[in-house]
Amino acid sequence: MKDLKEQKTEPVQMARSDLLLSLVKASVSGDKNAVRTAVEGIIADEKGKQHRVLAERLTRALHTNGNGTRAMNQMAHDTGIRGREFLAELTPRHQLSDMVLADQTRKTVDQLIEEQQRASLLRSHGLDPRHRIMLVGPPGNGKTSLAEAIAEALAVPFFVIRYEALIGSYLGETANRLKRVFDYVRTTPCVVFFDEFDAVGKERGDTHETGEIKRVVSSLLMHVDELPSYAVIIAASNHAELLDRAVWRRFQLRLPLPAPTEKELAVFFDRHIQNFDGKPGIAPATLAKRLGPISYAEAEEFILDVRRREVLSMLETPLKTIFADQIKAWEDRAKPMGQEESAR
């Protein structure tokens, strides 16, 4: 039993020793940036263990000179705190078990989560977990949901970039705000989600783009490179062809999330139909065929429509009737304008 306990705790101790060793090496070499990076890693490690008091004391020590005065890098620290205003913290609504993913995609996501959860073991061997993910696919097919599910599985804060606050109209404003965002993100284990990533990661060779967006992309690449592995960055794009080629290379995982097949929709409906008390009167495969080619977002909205009608009927209307009515409504909604008239 004693050997088993020692075996379980060994990775954590080794990881902490690895962080301390990095700090000592950086101090001896006089590399202030490396010292800061090592201390930030220790702070993030303590936050992950819920040692908030120690993490706060280390943070204060990092930004205080030996004589008790505030250090010059306090300005950078304050800038990072202000970067919080460009982030929205959301509570994940989805879990990985809720999602229908291609086998290879699920396997890759499971591997990423395992690497993050066992990061101590990896770092004890001089390795870091992967933490940069690009999700590509048409709208409504699970990019945001998957980002939420990864944050939920890792039990860390889930931040979404607020583009309306991030993108400024003055020269250099967006790049400066982007720096503040990354200064904040690097202070704690989290998942930060860039939806519609092409808004800030466009191809720099595009002759139609201004010099400002090129500076933003260059700044973005630098910050992504410097982001510690305990901060997971997930980017999503509906238009992968617009992304800068150098941006692609920064992401260790590039996962496609295409529109669902009829079979995948049937699996999705089957999972949700099981949550109803009554019988829908239609098989999941038949339901998927009746609704036609729709996205996961539309499939979820259909289920919510059924749920609303069920609640409002106070269980007086049979679930079979509600499903039939909603299927008819969705089939009519899917018809282009004027199709009915031309068919007459």
Side-chain angles (χ1 to χ4, degrees):
M1 183 65 70
K2 181 179 179 180
D3 293 338
L4 181 59
K5 289 183 178 179
E6 290 177 353
Q7 184 178 359
K8 287 183 177 179
T9 59
E10 183 182 9
V12 176
Q13 297 298 328
M14 292 180 69
R16 182 60 182 272
S17 300
D18 185 62
L19 290 171
L20 292 175
L21 183 60
S22 298
L23 177 59
V24 171
K25 288 181 177 179
S27 300
V28 171
S29 65
D31 188 339
K32 292 183 178 180
N33 288 331
V35 169
R36 179 188 174 191
T37 299
V39 175
E40 287 176 340
I42 294 173
I43 292 171
D45 184 54
E46 295 302 329
K47 285 183 177 180
K49 298 173 184 175
Q50 302 301 315
H51 298 166
R52 299 292 179 183
V53 175
L54 178 56
E56 180 58 31
R57 291 178 63 185
L58 287 170
T59 301
R60 289 199 302 268
L62 180 63
H63 303 291
T64 304
N65 285 326
N67 59 6
T69 60
R70 303 302 276 175
M72 289 296 291
N73 63 359
Q74 177 62 32
M75 182 178 297
H77 172 65
D78 291 342
T79 298
I81 296 301
R82 291 199 303 272
R84 177 68 176 79
E85 64 188 284
F86 307 118
L87 298 166
E89 182 173 359
L90 304 181
T91 301
R93 298 180 299 110
H94 296 87
Q95 298 180 343
L96 284 174
S97 57
D98 299 331
M99 304 196 64
V100 179
L101 299 171
D103 290 342
Q104 186 57 50
T105 299
R106 180 171 292 279
K107 180 179 179 180
T108 302
V109 171
D110 288 342
Q111 289 175 346
L112 170 84
I113 292 172
E114 181 186 18
E115 290 175 19
Q116 285 291 325
Q117 291 176 336
R118 305 181 68 189
S120 297
L121 178 59
L122 290 176
R123 293 190 182 108
S124 71
H125 290 272
L127 299 169
D128 281 316
R130 289 175 291 181
H131 65 115
R132 301 190 295 267
I133 312 162
M134 173 66 73
L135 305 178
V136 178
N141 289 299
K143 296 188 292 296
T144 303
S145 298
L146 182 55
E148 289 183 16
I150 291 174
E152 193 276 337
L154 295 177
V156 296
F158 178 58
F159 296 123
V160 176
I161 296 294
R162 297 177 52 227
Y163 286 114
E164 78 282 1
L166 179 69
I167 298 178
S169 58
Y170 296 103
L171 186 65
E173 190 174 23
T174 301
N176 181 55
R177 291 175 177 177
L178 196 60
K179 178 183 183 302
R180 286 155 60 182
V181 166
F182 278 92
D183 283 345
Y184 178 82
V185 167
R186 65 184 293 123
T187 64
T188 184
C190 63
V191 170
V192 58
F193 182 55
F194 283 79
D195 197 6
E196 299 182 3
F197 192 65
D198 40 278
V200 290
K202 286 185 178 180
E203 170 63 58
R204 285 171 291 181
D206 190 341
T207 57
H208 298 289
E209 291 299 340
T210 64
E212 173 68 0
I213 193 62
K214 295 177 181 179
R215 283 189 290 272
V216 169
V217 174
S218 298
S219 176
L220 175 65
L221 296 178
M222 179 186 69
H223 295 312
V224 169
D225 283 340
E226 295 177 350
L227 194 65
S229 59
Y230 52 77
V232 178
I233 178 173
I234 303 179
S237 177
N238 303 330
H239 304 284
E241 71 280 0
L242 298 180
L243 294 176
D244 189 277
R245 284 165 290 183
V247 170
W248 273 104
R249 292 198 299 271
R250 264 39 181 216
F251 289 88
Q252 301 145 321
L253 300 177
R254 306 163 196 172
L255 303 179
L257 292 179
T261 64
E262 189 174 293
K263 182 178 179 180
E264 289 170 333
L265 281 174
V267 174
F268 178 88
F269 284 129
D270 183 51
R271 291 182 181 178
H272 286 275
I273 285 175
Q274 292 177 14
N275 295 326
F276 288 97
D277 293 329
K279 295 183 178 181
I282 186 171
T286 305
L287 177 59
K289 186 174 183 179
R290 289 281 301 273
L291 295 182
I294 59 176
S295 67
Y296 280 121
E298 291 172 310
E300 184 177 24
E301 188 58 38
F302 173 84
I303 293 296
L304 290 175
D305 282 351
V306 173
R307 180 69 72 186
R308 293 185 188 101
R309 301 319 308 169
E310 181 189 38
V311 171
L312 293 175
S313 73
M314 303 294 288
L315 301 180
E316 293 181 0
T317 304
L319 185 60
K320 178 178 179 180
T321 301
I322 295 176
F323 262 91
D325 289 345
Q326 291 306 310
I327 291 172
K328 180 64 168 61
W330 272 70
E331 287 177 334
D332 291 342
R333 190 184 77 160
K335 294 178 180 178
M337 293 294 292
Q339 179 175 317
E340 294 178 351
E341 287 76 4
S342 61
R344 292 174 181 173

